[in-house]
Every structure is written in structure tokens, then in C-alpha cells.
């Protein structure tokens, strides 16, 4: 398999097969990223398609910074495309998601390592849209609350609050899952 740099050089030479290889290499991970934000698989596929159109349209703007930088750039485009899709669908509404009393602060911190990855992914996907967006941007994309607020058009405090509530809901779901496994 070509390195990212070799793949980019082949694409730059106009090899259509190299574009297809780029898509095949990153599409499964990109779909997982899209599904973090957009729980519906058909909509996530739409996001994926739009993201790869942007990838191929703006590939000449990409600045290679070492192995892994292309992958990171593609995933960033996918996450931003998913956020844009959610904004268009008006699916981010921090005030309406879940009231504070819906989360039990008495639950102990969860042992995430004991939960299979696919179960954890389903738990994340089941979070309310706003919580899921903030959680994914903070945890997976490693944005600050200030950056998240700017991306989503919300206040920084709302981002922090949404993240805290998402963590609490996930902790509760993980603890419930572990109790069911006993």
C-alpha cells in the first residue's frame, strides 16, 4: 500500500485509480466519524458523499505534513460536513434536549474498558443531537469549548454544559449496561 505522500503524488499526476484508493482507504473510518454526529445511516452516507466531494475538490489546497496528516484532514472535513448537515436540519438545540434532573449524579464513574466498542458507539449515537455533537467535537476532534461554541453558534458555557450532560448520560448508560451483564 502506498504511503499518503505516494498516494497524493499519484493523484496529482491525474491517476483516477489513486483517487479511488484514497476513498477506499478512508471511507470506512470517515463513515464512522459521520455516524458519530448523524445517527441515521442514510444521512451519514449523504454527509460522507458531500465530504469526499470537498476532499477531491480541495485536495490541491491540502498541505502534506507527514504520514497521517491526510487522514486527519479528511476526517476533519467529514466532521465539519456532518456539523453543517445538522445545522441545516436544525438538529442542534441545547436548551431543549434533556432537563438536568434526567441525569442521576449518584451513579459511580463507569469502567469504559469493560464495554465493547460497538456498544459504546451505539450509546454515543443514542445521545441527543446537541450532546452528541459537543461530546464528539470535544473528545474525538479535541476542540476546546471556545472552538465548539464558534463551530456550532452557541455560547462557550453551553458547550461545557452539553459536554457535562453527555458524559453523565453516557456514564448512566454504561453503568446500566454493566448491571445488565451481571
Amino acid at each position: 500500500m502506498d504511503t499518503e505522500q505516494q498516494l497524493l503524488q499519484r493523484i496529482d499526476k491525474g491517476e483516477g485509480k489513486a483517487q479511488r484508493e484514497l476513498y477506499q482507504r478512508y471511507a470506512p473510518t470517515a463513515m464512522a466519524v459521520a455516524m458519530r454526529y448523524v445517527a441515521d445511516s442514510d444521512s451519514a452516507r449523504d454527509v460522507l458523499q458531500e465530504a469526499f466531494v470537498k476532499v477531491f475538490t480541495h485536495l490541491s489546497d491540502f498541505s502534506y505534513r507527514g504520514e497521517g496528516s491526510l487522514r486527519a484532514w479528511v476526517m476533519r472535513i467529514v466532521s465539519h460536513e456532518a456539523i453543517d448537515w445538522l445545522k441545516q436540519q436544525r438538529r442542534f438545540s441545547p436548551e431543549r434536549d434533556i432537563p438536568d434532573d434526567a441525569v442521576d449524579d449518584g451513579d459511580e464513574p463507569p469502567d469504559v474498558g469493560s464495554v465493547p466498542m460497538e456498544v459504546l458507539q451505539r450509546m454515543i449515537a443514542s445521545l441527543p443531537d446537541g450532546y452528541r455533537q459537543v461530546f464528539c467535537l470535544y473528545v474525538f476532534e479535541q476542540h476546546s469549548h471556545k472552538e465548539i461554541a464558534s463551530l456550532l453558534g452557541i455560547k462557550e458555557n453551553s458547550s461545557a454544559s452539553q459536554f457535562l450532560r453527555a458524559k453523565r448520560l453516557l456514564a448512566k448508560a454504561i453503568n446500566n449496561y454493566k448491571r445488565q451483564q451481571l
Side-chain angles (χ1 to χ4, degrees), residues 29-39 44 71 75 79 82 86 121 124-125 129 132-133 136 139-141:
T29 306
M31 182 64 171
V33 169
M35 289 291 295
R36 285 182 195 149
Y37 296 94
V38 181
R71 179 186 183 281
M75 297 313 141
S79 67
L86 287 165
Q121 288 172 336
I124 293 170
D129 290 334
R132 186 177 60 251
Q133 282 181 290
C136 291
V139 173
F140 300 115
E141 308 297 326

PDB file of all heavy atoms in Angstrom, residues 29-39 44 71 75 79 82 86 121 124-125 129 132-133 136 139-141:
ATOM      1  N   THR A  29     -13.554   4.652   7.890  1.00  0.00           N
ATOM      2  CA  THR A  29     -13.333   5.481   9.075  1.00  0.00           C
ATOM      3  C   THR A  29     -14.151   6.760   8.984  1.00  0.00           C
ATOM      4  O   THR A  29     -14.729   7.214   9.981  1.00  0.00           O
ATOM      5  CB  THR A  29     -11.835   5.821   9.217  1.00  0.00           C
ATOM      6  OG1 THR A  29     -11.089   4.610   9.207  1.00  0.00           O
ATOM      7  CG2 THR A  29     -11.557   6.571  10.501  1.00  0.00           C
ATOM      8  N   ALA A  30     -14.213   7.327   7.790  1.00  0.00           N
ATOM      9  CA  ALA A  30     -14.992   8.553   7.596  1.00  0.00           C
ATOM     10  C   ALA A  30     -16.473   8.301   7.878  1.00  0.00           C
ATOM     11  O   ALA A  30     -17.152   9.159   8.452  1.00  0.00           O
ATOM     12  CB  ALA A  30     -14.789   9.082   6.177  1.00  0.00           C
ATOM     13  N   MET A  31     -16.974   7.144   7.494  1.00  0.00           N
ATOM     14  CA  MET A  31     -18.377   6.809   7.775  1.00  0.00           C
ATOM     15  C   MET A  31     -18.597   6.711   9.285  1.00  0.00           C
ATOM     16  O   MET A  31     -19.620   7.185   9.795  1.00  0.00           O
ATOM     17  CB  MET A  31     -18.760   5.496   7.081  1.00  0.00           C
ATOM     18  CG  MET A  31     -20.200   5.112   7.275  1.00  0.00           C
ATOM     19  SD  MET A  31     -21.318   6.320   6.527  1.00  0.00           S
ATOM     20  CE  MET A  31     -22.858   5.472   6.694  1.00  0.00           C
ATOM     21  N   ALA A  32     -17.639   6.126   9.988  1.00  0.00           N
ATOM     22  CA  ALA A  32     -17.755   6.041  11.448  1.00  0.00           C
ATOM     23  C   ALA A  32     -17.777   7.441  12.066  1.00  0.00           C
ATOM     24  O   ALA A  32     -18.547   7.705  12.992  1.00  0.00           O
ATOM     25  CB  ALA A  32     -16.607   5.220  12.026  1.00  0.00           C
ATOM     26  N   VAL A  33     -16.970   8.339  11.540  1.00  0.00           N
ATOM     27  CA  VAL A  33     -16.957   9.719  12.026  1.00  0.00           C
ATOM     28  C   VAL A  33     -18.307  10.375  11.741  1.00  0.00           C
ATOM     29  O   VAL A  33     -18.885  11.019  12.614  1.00  0.00           O
ATOM     30  CB  VAL A  33     -15.798  10.527  11.386  1.00  0.00           C
ATOM     31  CG1 VAL A  33     -15.932  12.023  11.666  1.00  0.00           C
ATOM     32  CG2 VAL A  33     -14.462  10.009  11.900  1.00  0.00           C
ATOM     33  N   ALA A  34     -18.808  10.215  10.534  1.00  0.00           N
ATOM     34  CA  ALA A  34     -20.114  10.795  10.183  1.00  0.00           C
ATOM     35  C   ALA A  34     -21.207  10.248  11.095  1.00  0.00           C
ATOM     36  O   ALA A  34     -22.086  10.999  11.542  1.00  0.00           O
ATOM     37  CB  ALA A  34     -20.443  10.519   8.717  1.00  0.00           C
ATOM     38  N   MET A  35     -21.151   8.955  11.394  1.00  0.00           N
ATOM     39  CA  MET A  35     -22.171   8.333  12.256  1.00  0.00           C
ATOM     40  C   MET A  35     -22.090   8.836  13.694  1.00  0.00           C
ATOM     41  O   MET A  35     -23.071   8.771  14.423  1.00  0.00           O
ATOM     42  CB  MET A  35     -22.042   6.807  12.227  1.00  0.00           C
ATOM     43  CG  MET A  35     -22.459   6.167  10.919  1.00  0.00           C
ATOM     44  SD  MET A  35     -24.221   6.254  10.582  1.00  0.00           S
ATOM     45  CE  MET A  35     -24.867   5.251  11.910  1.00  0.00           C
ATOM     46  N   ARG A  36     -20.941   9.333  14.118  1.00  0.00           N
ATOM     47  CA  ARG A  36     -20.843   9.919  15.463  1.00  0.00           C
ATOM     48  C   ARG A  36     -21.766  11.121  15.594  1.00  0.00           C
ATOM     49  O   ARG A  36     -22.308  11.386  16.648  1.00  0.00           O
ATOM     50  CB  ARG A  36     -19.422  10.398  15.740  1.00  0.00           C
ATOM     51  CG  ARG A  36     -18.450   9.330  16.033  1.00  0.00           C
ATOM     52  CD  ARG A  36     -17.115   9.976  16.341  1.00  0.00           C
ATOM     53  NE  ARG A  36     -16.058   8.993  16.302  1.00  0.00           N
ATOM     54  CZ  ARG A  36     -14.815   9.246  15.954  1.00  0.00           C
ATOM     55  NH1 ARG A  36     -14.465  10.480  15.621  1.00  0.00           N
ATOM     56  NH2 ARG A  36     -13.918   8.300  15.951  1.00  0.00           N
ATOM     57  N   TYR A  37     -21.896  11.857  14.507  1.00  0.00           N
ATOM     58  CA  TYR A  37     -22.675  13.086  14.527  1.00  0.00           C
ATOM     59  C   TYR A  37     -24.095  12.884  14.022  1.00  0.00           C
ATOM     60  O   TYR A  37     -25.032  13.460  14.538  1.00  0.00           O
ATOM     61  CB  TYR A  37     -21.996  14.160  13.660  1.00  0.00           C
ATOM     62  CG  TYR A  37     -20.644  14.555  14.188  1.00  0.00           C
ATOM     63  CD1 TYR A  37     -19.486  13.957  13.715  1.00  0.00           C
ATOM     64  CD2 TYR A  37     -20.523  15.520  15.178  1.00  0.00           C
ATOM     65  CE1 TYR A  37     -18.241  14.322  14.211  1.00  0.00           C
ATOM     66  CE2 TYR A  37     -19.286  15.877  15.674  1.00  0.00           C
ATOM     67  CZ  TYR A  37     -18.148  15.274  15.184  1.00  0.00           C
ATOM     68  OH  TYR A  37     -16.927  15.623  15.684  1.00  0.00           O
ATOM     69  N   VAL A  38     -24.236  12.100  12.977  1.00  0.00           N
ATOM     70  CA  VAL A  38     -25.517  11.895  12.310  1.00  0.00           C
ATOM     71  C   VAL A  38     -25.900  10.437  12.523  1.00  0.00           C
ATOM     72  O   VAL A  38     -25.351   9.556  11.876  1.00  0.00           O
ATOM     73  CB  VAL A  38     -25.409  12.212  10.798  1.00  0.00           C
ATOM     74  CG1 VAL A  38     -26.732  12.036  10.107  1.00  0.00           C
ATOM     75  CG2 VAL A  38     -24.854  13.606  10.584  1.00  0.00           C
ATOM     76  N   ALA A  39     -26.804  10.180  13.431  1.00  0.00           N
ATOM     77  CA  ALA A  39     -27.115   8.802  13.830  1.00  0.00           C
ATOM     78  C   ALA A  39     -27.797   7.988  12.732  1.00  0.00           C
ATOM     79  O   ALA A  39     -27.705   6.770  12.715  1.00  0.00           O
ATOM     80  CB  ALA A  39     -27.978   8.812  15.087  1.00  0.00           C
ATOM     81  N   ALA A  44     -25.900   9.861   7.117  1.00  0.00           N
ATOM     82  CA  ALA A  44     -24.442   9.796   7.272  1.00  0.00           C
ATOM     83  C   ALA A  44     -23.774   9.502   5.928  1.00  0.00           C
ATOM     84  O   ALA A  44     -22.710  10.051   5.626  1.00  0.00           O
ATOM     85  CB  ALA A  44     -24.059   8.741   8.302  1.00  0.00           C
ATOM     86  N   ARG A  71      -5.084  11.716   6.403  1.00  0.00           N
ATOM     87  CA  ARG A  71      -6.209  11.069   7.101  1.00  0.00           C
ATOM     88  C   ARG A  71      -6.888  12.072   8.040  1.00  0.00           C
ATOM     89  O   ARG A  71      -8.105  12.203   8.055  1.00  0.00           O
ATOM     90  CB  ARG A  71      -5.721   9.857   7.880  1.00  0.00           C
ATOM     91  CG  ARG A  71      -6.815   9.149   8.640  1.00  0.00           C
ATOM     92  CD  ARG A  71      -6.210   8.027   9.527  1.00  0.00           C
ATOM     93  NE  ARG A  71      -7.227   7.296  10.213  1.00  0.00           N
ATOM     94  CZ  ARG A  71      -7.850   7.715  11.321  1.00  0.00           C
ATOM     95  NH1 ARG A  71      -7.548   8.875  11.850  1.00  0.00           N
ATOM     96  NH2 ARG A  71      -8.776   6.979  11.889  1.00  0.00           N
ATOM     97  N   MET A  75     -10.768  13.437   7.834  1.00  0.00           N
ATOM     98  CA  MET A  75     -11.712  13.256   8.939  1.00  0.00           C
ATOM     99  C   MET A  75     -12.234  14.592   9.451  1.00  0.00           C
ATOM    100  O   MET A  75     -13.393  14.709   9.846  1.00  0.00           O
ATOM    101  CB  MET A  75     -11.073  12.462  10.080  1.00  0.00           C
ATOM    102  CG  MET A  75     -10.668  11.053   9.699  1.00  0.00           C
ATOM    103  SD  MET A  75     -11.929  10.130   8.792  1.00  0.00           S
ATOM    104  CE  MET A  75     -10.897   9.267   7.619  1.00  0.00           C
ATOM    105  N   SER A  79     -16.158  15.623   9.680  1.00  0.00           N
ATOM    106  CA  SER A  79     -16.826  16.116  10.893  1.00  0.00           C
ATOM    107  C   SER A  79     -17.454  17.489  10.654  1.00  0.00           C
ATOM    108  O   SER A  79     -18.578  17.745  11.095  1.00  0.00           O
ATOM    109  CB  SER A  79     -15.875  16.139  12.089  1.00  0.00           C
ATOM    110  OG  SER A  79     -14.862  17.089  11.921  1.00  0.00           O
ATOM    111  N   ALA A  82     -20.580  17.022   8.630  1.00  0.00           N
ATOM    112  CA  ALA A  82     -21.665  16.495   9.475  1.00  0.00           C
ATOM    113  C   ALA A  82     -22.290  17.609  10.312  1.00  0.00           C
ATOM    114  O   ALA A  82     -23.512  17.688  10.449  1.00  0.00           O
ATOM    115  CB  ALA A  82     -21.138  15.378  10.373  1.00  0.00           C
ATOM    116  N   LEU A  86     -26.140  18.941  10.203  1.00  0.00           N
ATOM    117  CA  LEU A  86     -27.005  19.068  11.374  1.00  0.00           C
ATOM    118  C   LEU A  86     -27.544  20.493  11.528  1.00  0.00           C
ATOM    119  O   LEU A  86     -28.698  20.681  11.903  1.00  0.00           O
ATOM    120  CB  LEU A  86     -26.248  18.641  12.634  1.00  0.00           C
ATOM    121  CG  LEU A  86     -26.021  17.134  12.749  1.00  0.00           C
ATOM    122  CD1 LEU A  86     -24.977  16.840  13.814  1.00  0.00           C
ATOM    123  CD2 LEU A  86     -27.317  16.411  13.051  1.00  0.00           C
ATOM    124  N   GLN A 121     -20.252   2.773  20.901  1.00  0.00           N
ATOM    125  CA  GLN A 121     -20.618   3.603  19.748  1.00  0.00           C
ATOM    126  C   GLN A 121     -22.128   3.790  19.656  1.00  0.00           C
ATOM    127  O   GLN A 121     -22.601   4.884  19.338  1.00  0.00           O
ATOM    128  CB  GLN A 121     -20.071   2.996  18.454  1.00  0.00           C
ATOM    129  CG  GLN A 121     -18.577   3.133  18.334  1.00  0.00           C
ATOM    130  CD  GLN A 121     -18.002   2.375  17.154  1.00  0.00           C
ATOM    131  OE1 GLN A 121     -18.578   1.411  16.662  1.00  0.00           O
ATOM    132  NE2 GLN A 121     -16.828   2.805  16.708  1.00  0.00           N
ATOM    133  N   ILE A 124     -23.142   6.346  22.266  1.00  0.00           N
ATOM    134  CA  ILE A 124     -22.826   7.702  21.816  1.00  0.00           C
ATOM    135  C   ILE A 124     -23.840   8.144  20.766  1.00  0.00           C
ATOM    136  O   ILE A 124     -24.347   9.259  20.805  1.00  0.00           O
ATOM    137  CB  ILE A 124     -21.382   7.791  21.286  1.00  0.00           C
ATOM    138  CG1 ILE A 124     -20.387   7.588  22.434  1.00  0.00           C
ATOM    139  CG2 ILE A 124     -21.133   9.132  20.588  1.00  0.00           C
ATOM    140  CD1 ILE A 124     -18.943   7.406  21.996  1.00  0.00           C
ATOM    141  N   ALA A 125     -24.152   7.248  19.844  1.00  0.00           N
ATOM    142  CA  ALA A 125     -25.116   7.573  18.785  1.00  0.00           C
ATOM    143  C   ALA A 125     -26.499   7.864  19.352  1.00  0.00           C
ATOM    144  O   ALA A 125     -27.272   8.612  18.752  1.00  0.00           O
ATOM    145  CB  ALA A 125     -25.192   6.436  17.773  1.00  0.00           C
ATOM    146  N   ASP A 129     -28.924  14.956  19.855  1.00  0.00           N
ATOM    147  CA  ASP A 129     -28.058  15.537  18.831  1.00  0.00           C
ATOM    148  C   ASP A 129     -27.053  16.541  19.386  1.00  0.00           C
ATOM    149  O   ASP A 129     -25.863  16.461  19.095  1.00  0.00           O
ATOM    150  CB  ASP A 129     -28.889  16.208  17.728  1.00  0.00           C
ATOM    151  CG  ASP A 129     -29.644  15.203  16.881  1.00  0.00           C
ATOM    152  OD1 ASP A 129     -29.201  14.040  16.786  1.00  0.00           O
ATOM    153  OD2 ASP A 129     -30.681  15.582  16.310  1.00  0.00           O
ATOM    154  N   ARG A 132     -24.428  14.889  21.575  1.00  0.00           N
ATOM    155  CA  ARG A 132     -23.536  14.050  20.767  1.00  0.00           C
ATOM    156  C   ARG A 132     -22.537  14.910  19.998  1.00  0.00           C
ATOM    157  O   ARG A 132     -21.352  14.601  19.942  1.00  0.00           O
ATOM    158  CB  ARG A 132     -24.345  13.180  19.808  1.00  0.00           C
ATOM    159  CG  ARG A 132     -23.500  12.183  19.040  1.00  0.00           C
ATOM    160  CD  ARG A 132     -24.323  11.266  18.149  1.00  0.00           C
ATOM    161  NE  ARG A 132     -25.082  12.020  17.164  1.00  0.00           N
ATOM    162  CZ  ARG A 132     -26.406  12.176  17.188  1.00  0.00           C
ATOM    163  NH1 ARG A 132     -27.133  11.622  18.127  1.00  0.00           N
ATOM    164  NH2 ARG A 132     -27.019  12.877  16.249  1.00  0.00           N
ATOM    165  N   GLN A 133     -23.011  16.002  19.413  1.00  0.00           N
ATOM    166  CA  GLN A 133     -22.114  16.882  18.667  1.00  0.00           C
ATOM    167  C   GLN A 133     -21.000  17.417  19.551  1.00  0.00           C
ATOM    168  O   GLN A 133     -19.823  17.343  19.195  1.00  0.00           O
ATOM    169  CB  GLN A 133     -22.887  18.058  18.088  1.00  0.00           C
ATOM    170  CG  GLN A 133     -23.674  17.731  16.870  1.00  0.00           C
ATOM    171  CD  GLN A 133     -24.361  18.988  16.383  1.00  0.00           C
ATOM    172  OE1 GLN A 133     -25.283  19.481  17.013  1.00  0.00           O
ATOM    173  NE2 GLN A 133     -23.910  19.502  15.275  1.00  0.00           N
ATOM    174  N   CYS A 136     -18.557  14.625  20.737  1.00  0.00           N
ATOM    175  CA  CYS A 136     -17.654  14.175  19.677  1.00  0.00           C
ATOM    176  C   CYS A 136     -16.608  15.224  19.327  1.00  0.00           C
ATOM    177  O   CYS A 136     -15.432  14.898  19.148  1.00  0.00           O
ATOM    178  CB  CYS A 136     -18.447  13.773  18.433  1.00  0.00           C
ATOM    179  SG  CYS A 136     -19.420  12.276  18.673  1.00  0.00           S
ATOM    180  N   VAL A 139     -14.197  15.250  22.504  1.00  0.00           N
ATOM    181  CA  VAL A 139     -13.441  14.022  22.759  1.00  0.00           C
ATOM    182  C   VAL A 139     -12.659  13.547  21.537  1.00  0.00           C
ATOM    183  O   VAL A 139     -11.460  13.272  21.629  1.00  0.00           O
ATOM    184  CB  VAL A 139     -14.378  12.894  23.261  1.00  0.00           C
ATOM    185  CG1 VAL A 139     -13.651  11.568  23.364  1.00  0.00           C
ATOM    186  CG2 VAL A 139     -14.976  13.276  24.609  1.00  0.00           C
ATOM    187  N   PHE A 140     -13.321  13.447  20.400  1.00  0.00           N
ATOM    188  CA  PHE A 140     -12.686  12.860  19.225  1.00  0.00           C
ATOM    189  C   PHE A 140     -11.919  13.874  18.390  1.00  0.00           C
ATOM    190  O   PHE A 140     -10.859  13.568  17.857  1.00  0.00           O
ATOM    191  CB  PHE A 140     -13.721  12.144  18.353  1.00  0.00           C
ATOM    192  CG  PHE A 140     -14.415  11.029  19.075  1.00  0.00           C
ATOM    193  CD1 PHE A 140     -15.767  11.095  19.327  1.00  0.00           C
ATOM    194  CD2 PHE A 140     -13.724   9.908  19.507  1.00  0.00           C
ATOM    195  CE1 PHE A 140     -16.426  10.068  20.003  1.00  0.00           C
ATOM    196  CE2 PHE A 140     -14.357   8.891  20.187  1.00  0.00           C
ATOM    197  CZ  PHE A 140     -15.712   8.964  20.432  1.00  0.00           C
ATOM    198  N   GLU A 141     -12.461  15.080  18.261  1.00  0.00           N
ATOM    199  CA  GLU A 141     -11.807  16.098  17.444  1.00  0.00           C
ATOM    200  C   GLU A 141     -10.885  16.985  18.278  1.00  0.00           C
ATOM    201  O   GLU A 141     -10.124  17.773  17.738  1.00  0.00           O
ATOM    202  CB  GLU A 141     -12.853  16.972  16.741  1.00  0.00           C
ATOM    203  CG  GLU A 141     -13.905  16.220  15.968  1.00  0.00           C
ATOM    204  CD  GLU A 141     -13.358  15.402  14.817  1.00  0.00           C
ATOM    205  OE1 GLU A 141     -12.378  15.838  14.193  1.00  0.00           O
ATOM    206  OE2 GLU A 141     -13.918  14.326  14.550  1.00  0.00           O
TER     207      GLU A 141
END
